[in-house]
Amino acid sequence: MLIHLNIAIPNSTDMLLTYLYDTMESQINLIGRRVLVPIGKSNKLHNGYIVSVLDKYDGEYELKYVAKLLDDEPVFSLKLLEFCKWMSNYYLCSLGDVLKAALPSSMSVQENVNIKLAIDLQETDLIELKRKSIKQYEILRYLENHNKFITLKYLESKLKFSISKLQLDSLKSKGFIELSTELSEQIQPKYVRTVAIVDELMQDEEELQRIINKVKKSSQKQYSLLLFIYSLMKERNKSIMVNEVLQKNQSSLSILNALKKKELIKFDEVEINRYFVDSENMLAKRDESKLKLTIEQENSLLKINQAVNEGKYKTFMLFGVTGSGKTLVYLNAIKNVLFKNKTALLLVPEISLTPQLIDRFNIVFPNQIAVLHSKMSDGERYDEWRSIKSGDRKIVIGARSGIFAPLDNLGLIIVDEEHENSYKQEQPDPRYNGRDAAIIRGMMENAVVVLGSATPSIESLHNANVGKYELLEIKHRADGAKLPKIKVIDMVDARKQKQIINSFSKELLDMIVDRMNKKEAVILFRNRRGFSNYLQCGDCANVPECVNCSIKLTYHKNINTLRCHFCGYSTNVMKRCSECGSDDFKIVGYGTQRIEEELDEYLRGMNIEVVIDRMDLDSTKKKGEQRKILQRFANGETDILIGTQMVAKGLDFDRVTLVGVINADLQLYISDFRASERTFQLLTQVSGRAGRHRDYAGEVIIQTSHPANYVFEYVAKADYDNFFKKELSIRQKANYPPFAKYIFIELKGKDSDELEKLAWEYYLLLANKKSNLIIYKPVVPSVFKTINFYRRIIIIKSKKNSKATAELSNVLSEVSGEFSKLANASNIIIKVDIDSYSGV
């Protein structure tokens, strides 16, 4: 039967494309599957997703056929597909882009082009080709050394330039090369060879023992290997990987084959999950779900469980101070969800998704958890996705993109540290907020949503206060522990009193020495990696900037490199200033590397031997390094841990009694209406790492040059309520969220003058529409250039209701169409960020 399918294509327009497909299958069972479809005159194959079946087609174009159906079953359930449609509509991006983001990147099918020479090359041909096209000449010269097909990707990597379709078509039309194409998924399930004792012997214990004793008499090595396989199978109740058997038993494949020849063992190929849980080096040591709950924890858990048991959507705001045991509430709530034969999703900010947190859950729920985050390999992410989709894993712990986890019968969604701005996707599309999306998915699936934080976002607590969410509070730390004492150090005054040594106040250094003498642990926070902020010429004050961005280059002393932390550009430190030729460079500011070096030097000068570790993006680049750093700190092998935001959240170590914030001003004075809120949250969160056990009192030192700022007053008093009231009042007067929607429109172009002109054209198109939108004129942002593109920003504010949302969508859609008709408009890239977290 010939049917019409509506298909969403990634990187396409908002429109769905219609294709023909001949099938006898149920039409409803086709929705949510992946396909390959031809597009354009070249009929190049693209990945697509079936989103609906049409009863009839009334269009004017001749339809093409689906080239290939990629799945036997839908990869998107109807509920998950509806959720993706909502995301596309709300965040104003194509449905194809949303669906692509919802799947592991390795599930996109690629068309691989293979190339080889078609003839024996003549020197005269090569001389002529070199004169006309040096790139085509180099392609043929390289192919001369290969008799078989090689992939285009491999050829480009060797020649170090990209090869266009026009170049290949030209060489093919001249008869120089042959081309072939093949389709392949980027990743496939992984299989390993396993070994097991044959079933008849495993089912007859007496006969097996007789055989083992018999083998012992004839071959000690075979006996040792057979006994080892038997002991592992008894322990695990499954076959064992051949590599593991040979490595741990220090045996050989020939001995294994000898046992196979005697028909005592059998081999098999078994699919494995590439995501490895290191059960021998857990950062958590106990099943925390067995701990006794406090009265506040019990009350919160009771409300959550009641809502789950009713099977209706509801959102809770769980407001608990640092160390109050919110995780214990999560663990017990998930236990109840599993008892009800439902599934659970725990979202955590990427930066808080530490091995310690995962281990705490794995101890309580062994072999039931799937993990999804950006540091996983393509293979690991693909395997975890398959384990969720198959129903093998009932619990998912993931960063922002975990909101797309293919869980069926979803009962509970927890968004931990819900205030974190890392839940907001900045680029590419879809630019969604994982917390807000979690609320919508919970609503669509009749699931309970819990937003947890010690420092709730202004928006979320406001929603709780006006009755959109139910507020649950835990005002005391668990285990009788007390909140740490917080002291704010005025660095301007300390400098006048000569009480500063390098980056440290003398008071903070004295407290660090005290903790080292007591054999307690210290965490130092500085939200900038590298050795210093930047280098500056001592003669002309020139500061090296990125060649691609309007950003100062950060100095990394250990590799003698200047690096842009935005685009990744790096260069060796120059010997002379590019402006005046001076060789006098000053180190300005300080990053985590410099703090580590200065502190180590100071303590050695005091004859105090300590071990200092650093945890930032530079020190954790290597896979598994973050776990090793935390393992050393947990075991007491490290005395002081210095880091960026990676140490501010999610860490729970009893022995930490002092936290030092080296510079609390870094985020406070940026051009962002959320700057004060973010600073308060970050300082409160990092302070919460201290004194988490009742036997160890915690102290916090915050160094600032602006101690009179109200943020520090409220942080020092742990007074979130009054901070919230003050901040809410400021937002209301300025008409910022939660009282309005905040839309951030970024226009980018290669030519600054052209961009300026077209940004104003875009603004005038917006301003001339009759609407209730508040539209601000284009501005030049502080970072006016990124990756060789100049930037302009237009801000829009609108009311927070469905009518205003629809109005915004219509206005932007109309303006987009009108703007595209202007001269040179195609040179401008426009990105619309709904509910943006970006600052100007």
PDB file of all heavy atoms in Angstrom, residues 773-804:
ATOM      1  N   LEU A 773       4.890  43.502  22.201  1.00  0.00           N
ATOM      2  CA  LEU A 773       6.277  43.193  22.534  1.00  0.00           C
ATOM      3  C   LEU A 773       7.057  44.477  22.836  1.00  0.00           C
ATOM      4  O   LEU A 773       6.824  45.519  22.223  1.00  0.00           O
ATOM      5  CB  LEU A 773       6.951  42.461  21.373  1.00  0.00           C
ATOM      6  CG  LEU A 773       6.275  41.179  20.875  1.00  0.00           C
ATOM      7  CD1 LEU A 773       7.020  40.629  19.665  1.00  0.00           C
ATOM      8  CD2 LEU A 773       6.233  40.147  21.987  1.00  0.00           C
ATOM      9  N   ILE A 774       7.973  44.389  23.788  1.00  0.00           N
ATOM     10  CA  ILE A 774       8.904  45.486  24.061  1.00  0.00           C
ATOM     11  C   ILE A 774      10.206  45.145  23.355  1.00  0.00           C
ATOM     12  O   ILE A 774      10.863  44.143  23.677  1.00  0.00           O
ATOM     13  CB  ILE A 774       9.145  45.656  25.569  1.00  0.00           C
ATOM     14  CG1 ILE A 774       7.821  45.920  26.285  1.00  0.00           C
ATOM     15  CG2 ILE A 774      10.137  46.781  25.834  1.00  0.00           C
ATOM     16  CD1 ILE A 774       7.940  45.891  27.798  1.00  0.00           C
ATOM     17  N   ILE A 775      10.576  45.961  22.371  1.00  0.00           N
ATOM     18  CA  ILE A 775      11.721  45.642  21.516  1.00  0.00           C
ATOM     19  C   ILE A 775      12.802  46.705  21.704  1.00  0.00           C
ATOM     20  O   ILE A 775      12.550  47.911  21.559  1.00  0.00           O
ATOM     21  CB  ILE A 775      11.292  45.568  20.033  1.00  0.00           C
ATOM     22  CG1 ILE A 775      10.185  44.522  19.868  1.00  0.00           C
ATOM     23  CG2 ILE A 775      12.488  45.233  19.145  1.00  0.00           C
ATOM     24  CD1 ILE A 775       9.389  44.653  18.598  1.00  0.00           C
ATOM     25  N   TYR A 776      14.015  46.273  22.046  1.00  0.00           N
ATOM     26  CA  TYR A 776      15.126  47.191  22.297  1.00  0.00           C
ATOM     27  C   TYR A 776      16.017  47.286  21.061  1.00  0.00           C
ATOM     28  O   TYR A 776      16.188  46.312  20.319  1.00  0.00           O
ATOM     29  CB  TYR A 776      15.943  46.726  23.502  1.00  0.00           C
ATOM     30  CG  TYR A 776      15.160  46.797  24.803  1.00  0.00           C
ATOM     31  CD1 TYR A 776      14.324  45.750  25.177  1.00  0.00           C
ATOM     32  CD2 TYR A 776      15.256  47.911  25.625  1.00  0.00           C
ATOM     33  CE1 TYR A 776      13.591  45.817  26.363  1.00  0.00           C
ATOM     34  CE2 TYR A 776      14.552  47.982  26.804  1.00  0.00           C
ATOM     35  CZ  TYR A 776      13.709  46.927  27.175  1.00  0.00           C
ATOM     36  OH  TYR A 776      12.991  46.997  28.335  1.00  0.00           O
ATOM     37  N   LYS A 777      16.593  48.465  20.867  1.00  0.00           N
ATOM     38  CA  LYS A 777      17.416  48.724  19.688  1.00  0.00           C
ATOM     39  C   LYS A 777      18.679  47.867  19.695  1.00  0.00           C
ATOM     40  O   LYS A 777      19.138  47.428  20.749  1.00  0.00           O
ATOM     41  CB  LYS A 777      17.792  50.201  19.639  1.00  0.00           C
ATOM     42  CG  LYS A 777      16.588  51.117  19.435  1.00  0.00           C
ATOM     43  CD  LYS A 777      16.981  52.578  19.518  1.00  0.00           C
ATOM     44  CE  LYS A 777      15.748  53.477  19.360  1.00  0.00           C
ATOM     45  NZ  LYS A 777      16.094  54.903  19.493  1.00  0.00           N
ATOM     46  N   PRO A 778      19.261  47.601  18.521  1.00  0.00           N
ATOM     47  CA  PRO A 778      20.476  46.770  18.435  1.00  0.00           C
ATOM     48  C   PRO A 778      21.624  47.384  19.233  1.00  0.00           C
ATOM     49  O   PRO A 778      21.808  48.608  19.231  1.00  0.00           O
ATOM     50  CB  PRO A 778      20.807  46.749  16.940  1.00  0.00           C
ATOM     51  CG  PRO A 778      19.568  47.169  16.249  1.00  0.00           C
ATOM     52  CD  PRO A 778      18.834  48.059  17.194  1.00  0.00           C
ATOM     53  N   VAL A 779      22.380  46.538  19.929  1.00  0.00           N
ATOM     54  CA  VAL A 779      23.546  47.011  20.677  1.00  0.00           C
ATOM     55  C   VAL A 779      24.762  46.173  20.302  1.00  0.00           C
ATOM     56  O   VAL A 779      24.639  45.020  19.860  1.00  0.00           O
ATOM     57  CB  VAL A 779      23.325  46.932  22.203  1.00  0.00           C
ATOM     58  CG1 VAL A 779      22.217  47.870  22.630  1.00  0.00           C
ATOM     59  CG2 VAL A 779      23.033  45.509  22.642  1.00  0.00           C
ATOM     60  N   VAL A 780      25.935  46.774  20.494  1.00  0.00           N
ATOM     61  CA  VAL A 780      27.197  46.059  20.310  1.00  0.00           C
ATOM     62  C   VAL A 780      27.546  45.406  21.645  1.00  0.00           C
ATOM     63  O   VAL A 780      27.735  46.112  22.638  1.00  0.00           O
ATOM     64  CB  VAL A 780      28.324  47.004  19.866  1.00  0.00           C
ATOM     65  CG1 VAL A 780      29.621  46.221  19.682  1.00  0.00           C
ATOM     66  CG2 VAL A 780      27.942  47.726  18.585  1.00  0.00           C
ATOM     67  N   PRO A 781      27.630  44.078  21.721  1.00  0.00           N
ATOM     68  CA  PRO A 781      27.905  43.420  23.009  1.00  0.00           C
ATOM     69  C   PRO A 781      29.352  43.595  23.430  1.00  0.00           C
ATOM     70  O   PRO A 781      30.211  43.965  22.628  1.00  0.00           O
ATOM     71  CB  PRO A 781      27.587  41.949  22.727  1.00  0.00           C
ATOM     72  CG  PRO A 781      27.833  41.785  21.265  1.00  0.00           C
ATOM     73  CD  PRO A 781      27.449  43.095  20.631  1.00  0.00           C
ATOM     74  N   SER A 782      29.634  43.307  24.704  1.00  0.00           N
ATOM     75  CA  SER A 782      31.003  43.443  25.208  1.00  0.00           C
ATOM     76  C   SER A 782      31.962  42.528  24.461  1.00  0.00           C
ATOM     77  O   SER A 782      33.091  42.904  24.165  1.00  0.00           O
ATOM     78  CB  SER A 782      31.042  43.138  26.710  1.00  0.00           C
ATOM     79  OG  SER A 782      30.444  41.881  26.977  1.00  0.00           O
ATOM     80  N   VAL A 783      31.519  41.308  24.162  1.00  0.00           N
ATOM     81  CA  VAL A 783      32.287  40.425  23.274  1.00  0.00           C
ATOM     82  C   VAL A 783      31.685  40.612  21.882  1.00  0.00           C
ATOM     83  O   VAL A 783      30.710  39.969  21.522  1.00  0.00           O
ATOM     84  CB  VAL A 783      32.212  38.953  23.726  1.00  0.00           C
ATOM     85  CG1 VAL A 783      33.017  38.065  22.783  1.00  0.00           C
ATOM     86  CG2 VAL A 783      32.709  38.797  25.156  1.00  0.00           C
ATOM     87  N   PHE A 784      32.259  41.554  21.104  1.00  0.00           N
ATOM     88  CA  PHE A 784      31.621  41.959  19.846  1.00  0.00           C
ATOM     89  C   PHE A 784      32.030  41.084  18.657  1.00  0.00           C
ATOM     90  O   PHE A 784      31.484  41.237  17.568  1.00  0.00           O
ATOM     91  CB  PHE A 784      31.932  43.431  19.529  1.00  0.00           C
ATOM     92  CG  PHE A 784      33.396  43.732  19.363  1.00  0.00           C
ATOM     93  CD1 PHE A 784      34.033  43.544  18.140  1.00  0.00           C
ATOM     94  CD2 PHE A 784      34.138  44.209  20.431  1.00  0.00           C
ATOM     95  CE1 PHE A 784      35.386  43.822  17.997  1.00  0.00           C
ATOM     96  CE2 PHE A 784      35.490  44.495  20.287  1.00  0.00           C
ATOM     97  CZ  PHE A 784      36.122  44.303  19.074  1.00  0.00           C
ATOM     98  N   LYS A 785      32.975  40.165  18.904  1.00  0.00           N
ATOM     99  CA  LYS A 785      33.431  39.316  17.805  1.00  0.00           C
ATOM    100  C   LYS A 785      33.774  37.942  18.361  1.00  0.00           C
ATOM    101  O   LYS A 785      34.505  37.820  19.341  1.00  0.00           O
ATOM    102  CB  LYS A 785      34.660  39.926  17.140  1.00  0.00           C
ATOM    103  CG  LYS A 785      35.201  39.150  15.943  1.00  0.00           C
ATOM    104  CD  LYS A 785      36.487  39.803  15.437  1.00  0.00           C
ATOM    105  CE  LYS A 785      37.124  39.035  14.295  1.00  0.00           C
ATOM    106  NZ  LYS A 785      38.445  39.567  13.937  1.00  0.00           N
ATOM    107  N   THR A 786      33.237  36.887  17.742  1.00  0.00           N
ATOM    108  CA  THR A 786      33.551  35.515  18.137  1.00  0.00           C
ATOM    109  C   THR A 786      33.751  34.662  16.889  1.00  0.00           C
ATOM    110  O   THR A 786      32.921  34.675  15.973  1.00  0.00           O
ATOM    111  CB  THR A 786      32.423  34.889  18.988  1.00  0.00           C
ATOM    112  OG1 THR A 786      31.203  34.921  18.261  1.00  0.00           O
ATOM    113  CG2 THR A 786      32.253  35.620  20.301  1.00  0.00           C
ATOM    114  N   ILE A 787      34.860  33.933  16.883  1.00  0.00           N
ATOM    115  CA  ILE A 787      35.199  33.012  15.785  1.00  0.00           C
ATOM    116  C   ILE A 787      35.045  33.698  14.428  1.00  0.00           C
ATOM    117  O   ILE A 787      34.397  33.211  13.514  1.00  0.00           O
ATOM    118  CB  ILE A 787      34.359  31.717  15.859  1.00  0.00           C
ATOM    119  CG1 ILE A 787      34.254  31.234  17.303  1.00  0.00           C
ATOM    120  CG2 ILE A 787      34.995  30.614  14.994  1.00  0.00           C
ATOM    121  CD1 ILE A 787      33.417  29.986  17.491  1.00  0.00           C
ATOM    122  N   ASN A 788      35.594  34.920  14.329  1.00  0.00           N
ATOM    123  CA  ASN A 788      35.630  35.721  13.094  1.00  0.00           C
ATOM    124  C   ASN A 788      34.275  36.252  12.652  1.00  0.00           C
ATOM    125  O   ASN A 788      34.129  36.696  11.514  1.00  0.00           O
ATOM    126  CB  ASN A 788      36.284  34.934  11.945  1.00  0.00           C
ATOM    127  CG  ASN A 788      37.781  34.807  12.129  1.00  0.00           C
ATOM    128  OD1 ASN A 788      38.435  35.744  12.574  1.00  0.00           O
ATOM    129  ND2 ASN A 788      38.325  33.638  11.828  1.00  0.00           N
ATOM    130  N   PHE A 789      33.284  36.214  13.512  1.00  0.00           N
ATOM    131  CA  PHE A 789      31.985  36.809  13.221  1.00  0.00           C
ATOM    132  C   PHE A 789      31.734  37.978  14.171  1.00  0.00           C
ATOM    133  O   PHE A 789      31.870  37.840  15.388  1.00  0.00           O
ATOM    134  CB  PHE A 789      30.861  35.779  13.388  1.00  0.00           C
ATOM    135  CG  PHE A 789      30.689  34.857  12.219  1.00  0.00           C
ATOM    136  CD1 PHE A 789      31.389  33.657  12.168  1.00  0.00           C
ATOM    137  CD2 PHE A 789      29.831  35.174  11.171  1.00  0.00           C
ATOM    138  CE1 PHE A 789      31.242  32.798  11.093  1.00  0.00           C
ATOM    139  CE2 PHE A 789      29.688  34.322  10.098  1.00  0.00           C
ATOM    140  CZ  PHE A 789      30.385  33.125  10.045  1.00  0.00           C
ATOM    141  N   TYR A 790      31.337  39.129  13.597  1.00  0.00           N
ATOM    142  CA  TYR A 790      30.924  40.265  14.418  1.00  0.00           C
ATOM    143  C   TYR A 790      29.505  40.024  14.911  1.00  0.00           C
ATOM    144  O   TYR A 790      28.728  39.291  14.279  1.00  0.00           O
ATOM    145  CB  TYR A 790      31.005  41.559  13.609  1.00  0.00           C
ATOM    146  CG  TYR A 790      32.430  41.922  13.247  1.00  0.00           C
ATOM    147  CD1 TYR A 790      32.976  41.543  12.025  1.00  0.00           C
ATOM    148  CD2 TYR A 790      33.226  42.635  14.140  1.00  0.00           C
ATOM    149  CE1 TYR A 790      34.289  41.855  11.696  1.00  0.00           C
ATOM    150  CE2 TYR A 790      34.543  42.961  13.822  1.00  0.00           C
ATOM    151  CZ  TYR A 790      35.060  42.557  12.605  1.00  0.00           C
ATOM    152  OH  TYR A 790      36.360  42.866  12.295  1.00  0.00           O
ATOM    153  N   ARG A 791      29.152  40.667  16.050  1.00  0.00           N
ATOM    154  CA  ARG A 791      27.868  40.385  16.689  1.00  0.00           C
ATOM    155  C   ARG A 791      27.091  41.677  16.981  1.00  0.00           C
ATOM    156  O   ARG A 791      27.675  42.706  17.303  1.00  0.00           O
ATOM    157  CB  ARG A 791      28.084  39.640  18.011  1.00  0.00           C
ATOM    158  CG  ARG A 791      28.882  38.378  17.920  1.00  0.00           C
ATOM    159  CD  ARG A 791      29.240  37.847  19.297  1.00  0.00           C
ATOM    160  NE  ARG A 791      28.074  37.354  20.030  1.00  0.00           N
ATOM    161  CZ  ARG A 791      27.824  37.632  21.296  1.00  0.00           C
ATOM    162  NH1 ARG A 791      28.631  38.428  21.987  1.00  0.00           N
ATOM    163  NH2 ARG A 791      26.749  37.147  21.894  1.00  0.00           N
ATOM    164  N   ARG A 792      25.764  41.564  16.876  1.00  0.00           N
ATOM    165  CA  ARG A 792      24.845  42.587  17.357  1.00  0.00           C
ATOM    166  C   ARG A 792      23.737  41.868  18.120  1.00  0.00           C
ATOM    167  O   ARG A 792      23.373  40.738  17.780  1.00  0.00           O
ATOM    168  CB  ARG A 792      24.242  43.410  16.219  1.00  0.00           C
ATOM    169  CG  ARG A 792      25.255  44.247  15.448  1.00  0.00           C
ATOM    170  CD  ARG A 792      25.846  45.365  16.293  1.00  0.00           C
ATOM    171  NE  ARG A 792      26.766  46.202  15.526  1.00  0.00           N
ATOM    172  CZ  ARG A 792      28.055  45.947  15.370  1.00  0.00           C
ATOM    173  NH1 ARG A 792      28.589  44.867  15.921  1.00  0.00           N
ATOM    174  NH2 ARG A 792      28.814  46.758  14.667  1.00  0.00           N
ATOM    175  N   ILE A 793      23.186  42.554  19.132  1.00  0.00           N
ATOM    176  CA  ILE A 793      22.177  41.939  19.988  1.00  0.00           C
ATOM    177  C   ILE A 793      20.911  42.792  20.005  1.00  0.00           C
ATOM    178  O   ILE A 793      20.975  44.017  20.141  1.00  0.00           O
ATOM    179  CB  ILE A 793      22.691  41.772  21.431  1.00  0.00           C
ATOM    180  CG1 ILE A 793      23.994  40.966  21.454  1.00  0.00           C
ATOM    181  CG2 ILE A 793      21.627  41.123  22.321  1.00  0.00           C
ATOM    182  CD1 ILE A 793      23.893  39.563  20.909  1.00  0.00           C
ATOM    183  N   ILE A 794      19.760  42.128  19.876  1.00  0.00           N
ATOM    184  CA  ILE A 794      18.454  42.770  20.054  1.00  0.00           C
ATOM    185  C   ILE A 794      17.717  42.016  21.160  1.00  0.00           C
ATOM    186  O   ILE A 794      17.633  40.786  21.122  1.00  0.00           O
ATOM    187  CB  ILE A 794      17.620  42.747  18.755  1.00  0.00           C
ATOM    188  CG1 ILE A 794      18.299  43.601  17.680  1.00  0.00           C
ATOM    189  CG2 ILE A 794      16.195  43.236  19.014  1.00  0.00           C
ATOM    190  CD1 ILE A 794      17.635  43.517  16.316  1.00  0.00           C
ATOM    191  N   ILE A 795      17.215  42.736  22.143  1.00  0.00           N
ATOM    192  CA  ILE A 795      16.480  42.138  23.255  1.00  0.00           C
ATOM    193  C   ILE A 795      14.983  42.395  23.077  1.00  0.00           C
ATOM    194  O   ILE A 795      14.577  43.516  22.730  1.00  0.00           O
ATOM    195  CB  ILE A 795      16.935  42.723  24.618  1.00  0.00           C
ATOM    196  CG1 ILE A 795      18.430  42.496  24.820  1.00  0.00           C
ATOM    197  CG2 ILE A 795      16.120  42.128  25.766  1.00  0.00           C
ATOM    198  CD1 ILE A 795      18.833  41.040  24.896  1.00  0.00           C
ATOM    199  N   ILE A 796      14.183  41.378  23.337  1.00  0.00           N
ATOM    200  CA  ILE A 796      12.719  41.513  23.330  1.00  0.00           C
ATOM    201  C   ILE A 796      12.188  41.039  24.674  1.00  0.00           C
ATOM    202  O   ILE A 796      12.649  40.027  25.209  1.00  0.00           O
ATOM    203  CB  ILE A 796      12.070  40.681  22.201  1.00  0.00           C
ATOM    204  CG1 ILE A 796      12.533  41.171  20.829  1.00  0.00           C
ATOM    205  CG2 ILE A 796      10.546  40.730  22.285  1.00  0.00           C
ATOM    206  CD1 ILE A 796      11.986  40.347  19.669  1.00  0.00           C
ATOM    207  N   LYS A 797      11.215  41.760  25.221  1.00  0.00           N
ATOM    208  CA  LYS A 797      10.495  41.303  26.405  1.00  0.00           C
ATOM    209  C   LYS A 797       9.021  41.174  26.054  1.00  0.00           C
ATOM    210  O   LYS A 797       8.481  41.988  25.293  1.00  0.00           O
ATOM    211  CB  LYS A 797      10.675  42.287  27.571  1.00  0.00           C
ATOM    212  CG  LYS A 797      12.089  42.373  28.112  1.00  0.00           C
ATOM    213  CD  LYS A 797      12.181  43.418  29.209  1.00  0.00           C
ATOM    214  CE  LYS A 797      13.615  43.599  29.687  1.00  0.00           C
ATOM    215  NZ  LYS A 797      13.715  44.703  30.680  1.00  0.00           N
ATOM    216  N   SER A 798       8.394  40.145  26.603  1.00  0.00           N
ATOM    217  CA  SER A 798       6.964  39.965  26.362  1.00  0.00           C
ATOM    218  C   SER A 798       6.298  39.441  27.619  1.00  0.00           C
ATOM    219  O   SER A 798       6.969  39.003  28.559  1.00  0.00           O
ATOM    220  CB  SER A 798       6.727  39.004  25.189  1.00  0.00           C
ATOM    221  OG  SER A 798       6.908  37.663  25.595  1.00  0.00           O
ATOM    222  N   LYS A 799       4.990  39.483  27.636  1.00  0.00           N
ATOM    223  CA  LYS A 799       4.252  38.939  28.766  1.00  0.00           C
ATOM    224  C   LYS A 799       4.407  37.424  28.813  1.00  0.00           C
ATOM    225  O   LYS A 799       4.738  36.786  27.807  1.00  0.00           O
ATOM    226  CB  LYS A 799       2.774  39.319  28.661  1.00  0.00           C
ATOM    227  CG  LYS A 799       2.526  40.817  28.811  1.00  0.00           C
ATOM    228  CD  LYS A 799       1.042  41.150  28.694  1.00  0.00           C
ATOM    229  CE  LYS A 799       0.815  42.645  28.867  1.00  0.00           C
ATOM    230  NZ  LYS A 799      -0.620  43.009  28.729  1.00  0.00           N
ATOM    231  N   LYS A 800       4.134  36.850  30.005  1.00  0.00           N
ATOM    232  CA  LYS A 800       4.290  35.402  30.186  1.00  0.00           C
ATOM    233  C   LYS A 800       2.923  34.725  30.171  1.00  0.00           C
ATOM    234  O   LYS A 800       2.371  34.409  31.215  1.00  0.00           O
ATOM    235  CB  LYS A 800       5.022  35.114  31.498  1.00  0.00           C
ATOM    236  CG  LYS A 800       6.449  35.616  31.533  1.00  0.00           C
ATOM    237  CD  LYS A 800       7.232  35.052  32.683  1.00  0.00           C
ATOM    238  CE  LYS A 800       7.608  33.617  32.418  1.00  0.00           C
ATOM    239  NZ  LYS A 800       8.546  33.069  33.416  1.00  0.00           N
ATOM    240  N   ASN A 801       2.389  34.554  28.963  1.00  0.00           N
ATOM    241  CA  ASN A 801       1.153  33.782  28.805  1.00  0.00           C
ATOM    242  C   ASN A 801       1.121  33.205  27.398  1.00  0.00           C
ATOM    243  O   ASN A 801       1.916  33.590  26.534  1.00  0.00           O
ATOM    244  CB  ASN A 801      -0.091  34.636  29.079  1.00  0.00           C
ATOM    245  CG  ASN A 801      -0.149  35.884  28.218  1.00  0.00           C
ATOM    246  OD1 ASN A 801      -0.078  35.811  26.992  1.00  0.00           O
ATOM    247  ND2 ASN A 801      -0.265  37.054  28.865  1.00  0.00           N
ATOM    248  N   SER A 802       0.226  32.275  27.164  1.00  0.00           N
ATOM    249  CA  SER A 802       0.192  31.566  25.872  1.00  0.00           C
ATOM    250  C   SER A 802      -0.134  32.501  24.717  1.00  0.00           C
ATOM    251  O   SER A 802       0.374  32.339  23.610  1.00  0.00           O
ATOM    252  CB  SER A 802      -0.823  30.418  25.930  1.00  0.00           C
ATOM    253  OG  SER A 802      -2.101  30.900  26.292  1.00  0.00           O
ATOM    254  N   LYS A 803      -0.972  33.514  24.975  1.00  0.00           N
ATOM    255  CA  LYS A 803      -1.320  34.468  23.921  1.00  0.00           C
ATOM    256  C   LYS A 803      -0.091  35.264  23.487  1.00  0.00           C
ATOM    257  O   LYS A 803       0.164  35.459  22.287  1.00  0.00           O
ATOM    258  CB  LYS A 803      -2.418  35.406  24.413  1.00  0.00           C
ATOM    259  CG  LYS A 803      -2.931  36.366  23.351  1.00  0.00           C
ATOM    260  CD  LYS A 803      -4.054  37.234  23.896  1.00  0.00           C
ATOM    261  CE  LYS A 803      -4.549  38.226  22.831  1.00  0.00           C
ATOM    262  NZ  LYS A 803      -5.621  39.107  23.360  1.00  0.00           N
ATOM    263  N   ALA A 804       0.703  35.720  24.466  1.00  0.00           N
ATOM    264  CA  ALA A 804       1.914  36.484  24.158  1.00  0.00           C
ATOM    265  C   ALA A 804       2.958  35.608  23.464  1.00  0.00           C
ATOM    266  O   ALA A 804       3.671  36.069  22.564  1.00  0.00           O
ATOM    267  CB  ALA A 804       2.491  37.071  25.444  1.00  0.00           C
TER     268      ALA A 804
END
